[in-house]
Amino acid sequence: MTELQYLGGFGNQLSSEALPGSLPMGRNSPQRVANGLYAELLSGSAFTAPRAENRRTWMYRRQPGVKCTGTAHQALPHPTWKTGAAAGVATPPDPMRWHAMPVPTDRALDFIDGLHTIVVNGDADAQTGIAAHLVLANCSMQRVLINADGEMLIVPQQGAMTITTELGVLHVAAGQIVLIPRGMAFRVALDGPTRAYVCENYGAPFRLPELGPIGSNGLANARDFQCPVAAFEADLQPTTVVRKFGGQLWQARADASPFNVVAWHGNLVPFRYDTKHFMVIGSISFDHPDPSIFTVLTSPSDTPGTANCDFVIFPPRWLVMEDSFRPPWFHRNVMSEFMGLVHGQYDAKPEGFKPGGMSLHNSLVPHGPDAEAFDKASNAQLAPHKLDDTLAFMFESRWRFRCTDFALNGGALDPRYAECWAPLSDHFKA
């Protein structure tokens, strides 16, 4: 049995068993499950959701969830994990940029303690909007996290992670992403100091975007997404479980580890995707196309074509357009853009935007290439050119972002960001 299996397509029914004969055939919840296991359903959508939208997974486990997620929860304060627009502070309509923050070395920080919210919008209880977080961690989790508010899209920037979930184990490093479904227990082990971006999505679950005129091929192919195979811990020791519920963290002691699923089947699964498999679509004639052609995953809103959140990447690619300004143009976008840089250099910002950094350009805030990029692109000889050794991304949302107090006052905000456009002069000739 391999460590991972391929989804083959979002919504496909998958199955896995760590012990042959543990999956019931023809029934989801027989009177007695094989090998003395308990049947338990995890629903990711309402029972009556359309078949194509219905997400759920049946798990066959040694102990049911009521024994593995704890009772009598106690509030667990977390000063830097914020939820929803109400948790943000007044945010000016400025372009903003943050320098890369170092991973602290003076205290132990696991994935939970090291999570710092940068921007928020929406409302977790209303199931709209997202939060963008930065994780700065230096030790592995010895506890378990269950997020009932939203799914978590993790984008590693420095360091590798081993993520244990109820359905199995995923290894992820820079250049890859992993998505943990809402309500699924997981634990993160680290391989050294780690920096990662996280999108906590309160809205509709992420899915592949429609391709429209692109046709049947291109962007992220469903066949390249991988999910784990069933694996369980042999020694079910009591464990501490942290639950995010209604914007608050709660902690309880559970009788047994939740990583005791011997077999499962369904389509609500954690998955990993390697961005090197993304098939970039671009112009082969003239002009710089809209960034929507770089969408890996989308969380739709109630307005068709306007996303609660789009996850967009800017990977290595060829630029061949003739008589065109090849970097992104100056623009004011109705969508709000939170951006991060995993590695390399972003072509529109050679100055100041470094790996591990972040930027925010809220709805209708003007932005675009800095003066250096504008001058270079305006005067370059337009031979075919490959952008290599680069990976940037955006969490793009229809909702305006509000910064957290940590984002504005945590010491990494670049107060001189707007100076990158200062050399742009009036060259008009009547």
Side-chain angles (χ1 to χ4, degrees):
M1 182 175 291
T2 59
E3 180 189 79
L4 299 174
Q5 59 179 320
Y6 286 91
L7 296 184
F10 279 60
N12 281 3
Q13 297 295 318
L14 302 168
S15 64
S16 181
E17 53 184 1
L19 180 64
S22 298
L23 276 174
M25 302 303 294
R27 289 173 173 78
N28 290 323
S29 182
Q31 184 181 20
R32 292 184 178 85
V33 181
N35 300 318
L37 301 174
Y38 293 85
E40 182 172 287
L41 175 67
L42 177 62
S43 294
S45 58
F47 296 137
T48 53
R51 183 183 291 266
E53 306 295 327
N54 212 297
R55 297 288 182 269
R56 83 286 183 276
T57 289
W58 280 95
M59 294 178 282
Y60 303 94
R61 54 196 315 159
R62 296 169 60 186
Q63 292 276 277
V66 291
K67 298 274 287 184
C68 305
T69 56
T71 56
H73 288 76
Q74 304 296 317
L76 178 65
H78 196 304
T80 59
W81 191 342
K82 305 297 181 181
T83 302
V89 298
T91 300
D94 300 332
M96 296 182 181
R97 183 167 68 189
W98 290 266
H99 300 299
M101 301 184 194
V103 178
T105 58
D106 60 339
R107 61 195 185 280
L109 294 171
D110 67 5
F111 182 89
I112 299 174
D113 290 335
L115 190 145
H116 301 74
T117 306
I118 306 300
V119 295
V120 287
N121 63 24
D123 184 326
D125 285 335
Q127 297 184 9
T128 60
I130 68 168
H133 312 292
L134 180 69
V135 173
L136 304 170
N138 55 31
C139 68
S140 298
M141 286 172 59
Q142 303 302 317
R143 46 189 174 168
V144 173
L145 176 62
I146 301 174
N147 191 338
D149 287 348
E151 61 185 357
M152 301 188 78
L153 177 64
I154 303 171
V155 185
Q157 190 275 320
Q158 172 188 314
M161 304 179 185
T162 299
I163 302 178
T164 301
T165 76
E166 291 177 88
L167 303 191
V169 180
L170 293 162
H171 303 283
V172 63
Q176 301 172 320
I177 62 170
V178 66
L179 186 133
I180 308 297
R182 177 182 171 191
M184 183 167 287
F186 70 100
R187 182 176 61 209
V188 180
L190 305 182
D191 181 17
T194 297
R195 185 190 294 116
Y197 307 97
V198 176
C199 175
E200 184 181 6
N201 175 26
Y202 319 130
F206 277 117
R207 65 197 67 180
L208 291 176
E210 300 299 332
L211 294 179
I214 293 175
S216 59
N217 298 292
L219 311 189
N221 293 308
R223 64 184 296 270
D224 293 323
F225 288 79
Q226 299 172 297
C227 70
V229 298
F232 62 91
E233 294 182 341
D235 189 9
L236 299 182
Q237 293 294 319
T239 188
T240 298
V241 176
V242 176
R243 297 176 72 94
K244 186 163 186 287
F245 188 82
Q248 303 293 321
L249 291 186
W250 302 83
Q251 182 173 270
R253 192 67 175 166
D255 291 340
S257 166
F259 308 123
N260 62 24
V261 177
V262 179
W264 59 264
H265 72 84
N267 59 7
L268 182 67
V269 297
F271 61 74
R272 183 182 77 175
Y273 176 71
D274 193 327
T275 60
K276 71 183 180 184
H277 297 309
F278 187 81
M279 179 182 168
V280 179
I281 301 292
S283 171
I284 54 173
S285 56
F286 58 87
D287 278 354
H288 181 98
D290 296 331
S292 49
I293 59 171
F294 297 104
T295 302
V296 180
L297 297 168
T298 185
S299 164
S301 75
D302 55 2
T303 302
T306 307
N308 175 69
C309 182
D310 282 335
F311 173 61
V312 179
I313 65 171
F314 303 103
R317 60 202 181 275
W318 280 95
L319 301 178
V320 299
M321 302 85 82
E322 59 185 23
D323 191 21
S324 299
F325 186 79
R326 289 180 174 176
W329 5 254
F330 295 105
H331 62 289
R332 291 173 290 169
N333 187 4
V334 71
M335 302 284 280
S336 297
E337 304 172 4
F338 175 87
M339 193 169 189
L341 184 60
V342 177
H343 63 79
Q345 179 179 295
Y346 180 56
D347 60 323
K349 293 288 191 303
E351 178 274 325
F353 192 39
K354 303 300 182 184
M358 301 165 289
S359 68
L360 172 65
H361 303 112
N362 252 324
S363 176
L364 300 177
V365 171
H367 57 288
D370 62 24
E372 179 185 349
F374 179 81
D375 181 69
K376 182 179 178 181
S378 299
N379 296 288
Q381 289 195 335
L382 295 183
H385 169 66
K386 188 176 184 182
L387 291 176
D388 221 339
D389 186 29
T390 182
L391 181 61
F393 74 90
M394 284 197 308
F395 301 145
E396 189 176 56
S397 177
R398 67 172 297 184
W399 315 109
R400 183 174 62 252
F401 285 114
R402 301 189 74 188
C403 291
T404 62
D405 180 72
F406 172 83
L408 294 184
N409 300 303
L413 183 65
D414 182 359
R416 305 181 63 181
Y417 176 31
E419 294 180 11
C420 74
W421 294 294
L424 297 171
S425 303
D426 185 347
H427 299 293
F428 177 70
K429 298 178 182 179

